Amino acid sequence: MAVQLRGLTTFIADIRNCKSQEEEQKRVDAELHKIRTKFLNAGKKKLDSYSLKKYLLKLCFISQAGYDIDFGHIEAVNLLSGSKFSEKTVGYLFAVMAIDPAGELVRLIINSIRNDLLTAGKSSSHDVSACLALAAVANIGGKEMAEALAPVVQELLFSPETTPMVKKKAALCLLRLFRAWPEMLSASEVAEPLTRLLDARHLGVATGALSLLTSLVSHDPDGYAGCVRQCVWLLDKLALQGEAKPAYYYYDVPAPWLQVKLLRLLQYYPAPEDRNMQARLVQVLGAILSRVETDARPNHVHAVQAVLFEAMDLVIHLDIAPELIIQCANLLGKFVTSKVTNTRYLGLAKMAHLAAANHDAIELIRRHQKTIMSSLRDADISIRRRAMDLLFAMCDSSNSEEIVTELLDYLDEAEFEIKDELVLKIAILAEKYAPHPNWYFDTVLTLISAGRDHVSDDIWYRAVQVVTNNEDMQPYAAQRVFDELCSPSAHEVAVKIAGYVLGEYGHFIADAPGSSPTLMFNLLHSKFSMVGSKTKALLLTAYSKLVNLFPELKLGVEAVLEQHRSAMDADIQQRACEYMVLSTAQEPLLNVVWEVMPAFPERESAVVIYARKLEEAGKTDRGPTHAAEEEDLDAVLAQVGAAAGAAVPAATPAAAPVTSAPPPSSGSLLDLMSEPTAPAPAPAATGKAATGGELVIDNPDFVGALKFANVGILFEDADIKVGYKGEFKNNLARVTLFFMNLTGSAMSPFAATALEHESFNVSVPEALTSVPAGASQAAQIFLVETAGVFSKPLVVQVAYNGENLFLMLPLFPSKFLAPLPLDGPGFLGQWNAVAADAQKMVVMKPHAGAAASPAAVSEALTALNFGILQGVDPSPTNVVAAAMWCSTAVKAAVLVRVEVAAQHGLYRLTFRCGEAKVAGEVCGAVARKIGVVQA
């Protein structure tokens, strides 16, 4: 047809030869005008079939090129209603490409499609027309078309007069409609006739019916339970007897795709209760597992292994024959030593599935432990990932020390993107299978030293809880953290644990050789200037606890507290002021305030809860029994944080610059035992949002000033002044709002509430209920987690004295970036993985008074939390940087290349990111930070 339609060939050649977008647009517009004129004049001079097909195919090509088509539908209906195959083909092609399933034009073709369906079986030409109609129904879909034509398609599928060619198309058409509209098929109507189709002599019909049946079973397994017997019989026929026509053999394997579908469908059901059927199924599975292959042809091997691995999944799911489990374990042991990377990968993945689902098989898997450990050093990262998962699944109390040691050794060389997961898995294994509490604590300290920034707060929270609840290990823990502090490279997380443990239990080692109260204080304070504000706040509390036990430290501690009474950080300032006042209190009060931390309630930790989630995931599947994809670790920790409750301490107390807050009575180093008060109900809204009108933001001008700042004024008027402070790490943010009452009377009741947002999870440790009059300020903390990509702002409603303010928080996508270290090949791989059409490119000049230089670009990108990649770009004047945009559901690499033309005073920024909503804002932030975009 393409050879005959010379006008179409010429038009396509013209489009391909266009030198620019403008030239192409001009050529397309001219062609559209010409075709539209031809169609409008068709009443005067009727177009022949050749011309209609040519013009409609041109419209199809234009549509594929990305241009909108708003005419030609009537002509397409006329063609698909014709009697010639070539006319119907073009008519259906245009209908599929240009008709909106939800639009009114779909009604124009329903009758024509129904007519073609009803003529199926009359002749071979009618069958071809019916197949075209079925393909159109499947591709267009739409509820109206499904309701009108699904009964006709269903009748074609089950009719004994329908040819196999049409039956196959009908089954796949119903599958497409069912996926869009599950309610259109009822098990009571289709279960029995659909099961009978598995007996079809034509395996193509059986394959199409099985695809439909699998989808139906995934929605309603009980309604189609009768298919199990037929599936076992058909599997026996193919796998054991090899009964299939030569056309259905693939490299000497009888219909491997059909065998895989049958094995997968059977995983939706338990083992058959009928003993004869169960014995036959065991026999079939045993034959598949015992098949010895000597044929080295790659396609043959792939077909055999596809069936074999699916059979293993079914064996693991049914668990009805121990000898089959042993066979699986032995086969997988061979696969993990294979020289073929894909085979090793599948072997490790299936072995992890077996270990998670069947604990009795772990002993069999353990025979290959050394091979699995060696896979951690494989050249392929996917192999290393699967080996890590398998070691995690097969670990128990008998081999925990060996596996944890191996994983800790691997941590030093593991890829950046898997370190978070690896660190958490090590922590889970260390806690779950610790032979002794001291070994667990040693492992956590080693993990902190090796994992550093990848160690989440939940891990050291749990270590603190274990130490607190085990009196026998408290002296040992104090000595270990003391030794850890002596290292000049001690990480901040280690300093946090040391501050807590020495503050609570430092007295156990006060008289130990090489230790003294003064040395403990000096070691802790030597790290003070190198840690963040949260850790500094914790250390101030530790100092105050130490001075309560060792009065000789009082002068040094008071000097530190005095120095920080005017600190910029509100939490540090409040602690310093309150602890200075407490230092002059009477001894009985001090003993109550600074008493040793009481034991935590016995609750499961976040890491153990996560371990159980992984075990449960191993017993589920893509239907009911396959191993589910692992949940994002940050998401799981966020979910289990609430469940862990008092079992894990808060990172820092919800302190704010409030003048009247009393000191904590529990004496907890981290205010761990204080119960948060229930938030007061918000006053009745009377402002702009309460009337049902569109929400009006009160602080757009203030938010713009906080684009690149994390501290500043969020809102101010005659009644109230709202300060803002934001702290960000990965997908988490801690937002503190400071409210200053400028009126002459107290604001009570008072409430600051984050409005519901689909992409943010927000919690408030302690809600404000009033703001006193005067110059004092009260603070409220919002703990924010990004759950997904967002474009709308998070808004806080502030209600007081019958007034309402709606304040937008300056939480932009560019705030949730983490440096992404990549080498040259890694950066290039990430760059090429993002579609070229997602690339943004802008030309800029430096900010006024600044020169174009790589150093200025690097400084700007570092301020936005990008990691500068050295040696990636061959030009030393260009700057390449990468960051990871973080949320619970989505993580996207953000890649930047800046070409510096110092002699011309210009930058060219090239930017790639796979998430469009993230890309727009982050690219804009990068551009504004670096310079001024050229018009």
Side-chain angles (χ1 to χ4, degrees):
M1 183 184 300
V3 176
Q4 297 173 354
L5 301 177
R6 286 179 293 179
L8 174 64
T9 306
T10 302
F11 173 66
I12 293 175
D14 290 346
I15 294 297
R16 289 178 174 174
N17 293 330
C18 289
K19 303 299 183 183
S20 65
Q21 180 68 38
E22 293 76 12
E23 185 180 349
E24 179 184 305
Q25 179 75 56
K26 185 177 180 181
R27 180 68 180 89
V28 168
D29 289 342
E31 193 66 34
L32 287 175
H33 175 72
K34 174 185 172 182
I35 297 173
R36 192 188 300 269
T37 302
K38 292 287 186 181
F39 286 169
L40 290 176
N41 295 333
K44 301 177 183 178
K45 183 180 179 182
K46 186 176 181 181
L47 292 174
D48 56 19
S49 174
Y50 174 89
S51 299
L52 269 177
K53 289 186 290 185
K54 179 178 66 175
Y55 293 142
L56 286 177
L57 286 174
K58 285 184 178 182
L59 291 178
C60 288
F61 179 79
I62 292 171
S63 175
Q64 285 292 90
Y67 297 92
D68 292 333
I69 301 299
D70 57 1
F71 65 96
H73 303 88
I74 301 299
E75 288 74 14
V77 173
N78 293 334
L79 274 187
L80 66 85
S81 301
S83 58
K84 295 180 180 179
F85 173 71
S86 60
E87 293 177 350
K88 284 185 175 293
T89 302
V90 175
Y92 277 118
L93 178 62
F94 184 88
V96 168
M97 295 178 61
I99 292 183
D100 181 7
E104 296 182 359
L105 291 173
V106 75
R107 299 172 188 168
L108 296 174
I109 62 172
I110 287 179
N111 284 334
S112 297
I113 292 176
R114 181 186 285 108
N115 291 336
D116 283 338
L117 294 177
L118 293 177
T119 60
K122 292 183 179 181
S123 67
S124 59
S125 62
H126 286 100
D127 285 346
V128 171
S129 298
C131 288
L132 285 174
L134 288 168
V137 173
N139 282 282
I140 296 175
K143 189 169 185 179
E144 187 172 358
M145 182 172 284
E147 291 174 347
L149 298 177
V152 182
V153 178
Q154 188 173 321
E155 184 179 347
L156 278 179
L157 177 62
F158 300 137
S159 172
E161 299 177 359
T162 307
T163 61
M165 177 177 68
V166 178
K167 279 182 180 286
K168 289 190 296 181
K169 287 281 188 180
L172 298 178
C173 180
L174 275 182
L175 173 59
R176 167 66 178 82
L177 295 178
F178 175 75
R179 286 173 176 170
W181 315 102
E183 66 278 3
M184 60 168 285
L185 289 179
S186 168
S188 60
E189 296 177 4
V190 303
E192 186 177 346
L194 190 56
T195 302
R196 285 200 301 268
L197 285 180
L198 299 181
D199 291 336
R201 296 181 62 185
H202 196 289
L203 287 185
V205 175
T207 304
L210 191 58
S211 297
L212 174 59
L213 185 59
T214 302
S215 188
L216 292 168
V217 166
S218 68
H219 283 75
D220 181 17
D222 295 337
Y224 300 89
C227 70
V228 173
R229 178 180 295 275
Q230 196 59 40
C231 289
V232 173
W233 175 85
L234 183 55
L235 189 61
D236 177 273
K237 177 178 158 183
L238 293 171
L240 280 184
Q241 303 172 34
E243 292 185 14
K245 292 181 179 180
Y248 286 93
Y249 270 80
Y250 179 78
Y251 285 86
D252 300 329
V253 182
W257 51 88
L258 185 54
Q259 292 189 53
V260 167
K261 286 179 180 288
L262 289 166
L263 291 165
R264 188 167 297 175
L265 178 60
L266 290 172
Q267 292 173 56
Y268 284 92
Y269 296 99
E273 296 181 0
D274 185 295
R275 296 204 171 190
N276 292 331
M277 193 192 311
Q278 188 177 119
R280 174 180 283 191
L281 182 56
V282 170
Q283 182 183 5
V284 172
L285 292 173
I288 294 174
L289 295 178
S290 303
R291 191 171 292 158
V292 178
E293 294 301 329
T294 58
D295 193 331
R297 291 176 297 172
N299 289 343
H300 173 82
V301 173
H302 294 162
V304 170
Q305 289 185 351
V307 177
L308 179 60
F309 282 116
E310 206 63 51
M312 287 183 182
D313 278 333
L314 182 56
V315 168
I316 295 169
H317 165 63
L318 296 177
D319 195 17
I320 54 177
E323 65 274 13
L324 294 182
I325 295 292
I326 295 173
Q327 275 186 276
C328 288
N330 292 337
L331 279 172
L332 292 173
K334 295 179 182 178
F335 289 146
V336 297
T337 59
S338 171
K339 295 181 179 180
V340 181
T341 302
N342 288 343
T343 304
R344 284 203 311 279
Y345 176 90
L346 291 170
L348 291 168
K350 284 294 178 284
M351 199 175 271
H353 182 195
L354 177 60
N358 192 314
H359 291 284
D360 295 334
I362 292 181
E363 189 61 39
L364 300 171
I365 297 173
R366 196 174 292 137
R367 300 173 186 172
H368 311 286
Q369 183 169 310
K370 288 186 178 180
T371 303
I372 298 165
M373 286 181 173
S374 66
S375 297
L376 286 174
R377 272 74 184 179
D378 195 276
D380 193 309
I381 185 174
S382 61
I383 299 291
R384 299 196 293 272
R385 278 182 175 273
R386 295 288 76 80
M388 180 181 69
D389 294 340
L390 178 52
L391 288 173
F392 179 78
M394 64 185 286
C395 186
D396 59 20
S397 55
S398 65
N399 61 359
S400 59
E401 293 185 61
E402 186 177 359
I403 288 179
V404 168
T405 301
E406 184 68 24
L407 292 176
L408 283 171
D409 291 342
Y410 173 57
L411 181 59
D412 290 332
E413 56 195 84
E415 285 71 18
F416 175 84
E417 57 266 26
I418 67 173
K419 278 194 173 184
D420 286 346
E421 179 182 358
L422 179 57
V423 164
L424 188 55
K425 286 188 172 182
I426 294 172
I428 291 170
L429 296 180
E431 178 181 351
K432 194 173 182 183
Y433 302 112
H436 190 274
N438 290 354
W439 178 86
Y440 165 72
F441 193 73
D442 286 339
T443 301
V444 171
L445 290 180
T446 305
L447 180 62
I448 292 170
S449 177
R452 304 186 73 80
D453 291 340
H454 299 275
V455 179
S456 66
D457 286 340
D458 299 87
I459 294 173
W460 80 267
Y461 291 166
R462 182 57 176 170
V464 161
Q465 179 185 345
V466 171
V467 172
T468 304
N469 289 7
N470 290 270
E471 294 184 3
D472 294 341
M473 71 176 294
Q474 289 167 1
Y476 178 80
Q479 185 62 53
R480 283 291 287 112
V481 297
F482 179 84
D483 295 340
E484 189 71 20
L485 281 180
C486 294
S487 169
S489 60
H491 190 262
E492 183 172 351
V493 178
V495 176
K496 291 178 181 179
I497 293 186
Y500 181 96
V501 173
L502 292 180
E504 297 288 343
Y505 313 114
H507 56 278
F508 285 117
I509 62 168
D511 299 324
S515 174
S516 68
T518 302
L519 188 54
M520 279 190 282
F521 170 71
N522 290 338
L523 275 175
L524 283 173
H525 198 57
S526 68
K527 312 294 182 183
F528 193 89
S529 61
M530 298 181 287
V531 297
S533 58
K534 295 180 181 179
T535 309
K536 288 179 179 178
L538 186 152
L539 290 178
L540 291 181
T541 308
Y543 299 163
S544 298
K545 285 215 162 191
L546 286 172
V547 80
N548 187 53
L549 295 174
F550 309 110
E552 63 268 28
L553 302 177
K554 187 171 183 179
L555 290 178
V557 172
E558 285 185 346
V560 174
L561 295 177
E562 181 64 32
Q563 181 183 354
H564 292 88
R565 289 182 67 177
S566 57
M568 292 294 292
D569 186 275
D571 190 10
I572 296 175
Q573 181 188 102
Q574 181 180 345
R575 288 176 187 251
C577 293
E578 292 180 355
Y579 296 164
M580 278 294 289
V581 174
L582 277 173
S583 66
T584 62
Q586 297 297 319
E587 186 173 342
L589 175 60
L590 290 176
N591 291 336
V592 172
V593 172
W594 302 121
E595 65 180 336
V596 176
M597 179 73 178
F600 289 93
E602 289 299 331
R603 298 184 185 181
E604 287 184 301
S605 72
V607 290
V608 172
I609 294 173
Y610 176 60
R612 186 170 63 249
K613 280 179 172 283
L614 287 184
E615 289 179 356
E616 293 171 354
K619 300 175 183 177
T620 62
D621 76 22
R622 52 181 175 257
T625 56
H626 279 82
E629 292 184 356
E630 290 187 10
E631 297 179 69
D632 181 88
L633 299 180
D634 295 333
V636 173
L637 288 176
Q639 293 167 4
V640 301
V648 292
T652 57
V658 193
T659 57
S660 59
S665 60
S666 65
S668 163
L669 186 60
L670 295 173
D671 304 337
L672 301 177
M673 302 304 292
S674 60
E675 294 292 333
T677 58
T686 60
K688 298 174 281 295
T691 62
E694 183 179 355
L695 188 68
V696 178
I697 301 299
D698 291 292
N699 65 330
D701 296 335
F702 292 91
V703 170
L706 294 171
K707 178 71 177 179
F708 300 113
N710 291 331
V711 178
I713 303 301
L714 189 64
F715 179 77
E716 184 175 9
D717 65 7
D719 296 333
I720 191 171
K721 183 177 182 179
V722 183
Y724 162 83
K725 178 186 176 184
E727 300 169 86
F728 300 88
K729 183 176 182 181
N730 297 335
N731 66 318
L732 305 176
R734 177 187 172 103
V735 176
T736 307
L737 298 185
F738 304 97
F739 301 97
M740 180 176 290
N741 184 354
L742 303 180
T743 67
S745 59
M747 293 179 175
S748 180
F750 178 93
T753 309
L755 302 186
E756 187 175 351
H757 196 293
E758 60 182 5
S759 298
F760 291 104
N761 298 323
V762 184
S763 61
V764 177
E766 186 171 357
L768 286 174
T769 57
S770 64
V771 177
S776 63
Q777 53 182 342
Q780 180 166 313
I781 295 174
F782 297 85
L783 303 179
V784 182
E785 177 189 44
T786 54
V789 179
F790 62 92
S791 57
K792 297 180 181 178
L794 179 63
V795 177
V796 171
Q797 179 183 1
V798 180
Y800 62 93
N801 299 347
E803 297 291 334
N804 277 281
L805 295 175
F806 294 93
L807 306 181
M808 180 173 71
L809 297 183
L811 303 182
F812 304 102
S814 54
K815 299 280 190 179
F816 298 95
L817 296 174
L820 180 59
L822 294 171
D823 56 10
F827 179 85
L828 186 60
Q830 293 273 13
W831 184 271
N832 292 333
V834 180
D837 57 2
Q839 174 174 296
K840 298 180 183 296
M841 183 180 294
V842 292
V843 176
M844 301 173 295
K845 60 181 180 180
H847 292 293
S853 70
V857 173
S858 298
E859 182 181 354
L861 290 172
T862 302
L864 289 173
N865 228 16
F866 277 84
I868 306 300
L869 308 183
Q870 303 294 341
V872 173
D873 196 295
S875 173
T877 62
N878 295 345
V879 179
V880 177
M884 182 69 73
W885 187 84
C886 305
S887 74
T888 302
V890 178
K891 290 189 177 181
V894 183
L895 310 174
V896 177
R897 179 173 182 259
V898 183
E899 299 166 82
V900 181
Q903 66 276 22
H904 301 295
L906 293 174
Y907 299 126
R908 183 166 68 177
L909 166 66
T910 308
F911 182 95
R912 285 195 181 187
C913 177
E915 286 293 335
K917 293 182 180 178
V918 174
E921 193 277 334
V922 176
C923 181
V926 171
R928 287 193 293 274
K929 191 72 173 176
I930 293 176
V932 180
V933 178
Q934 290 283 75

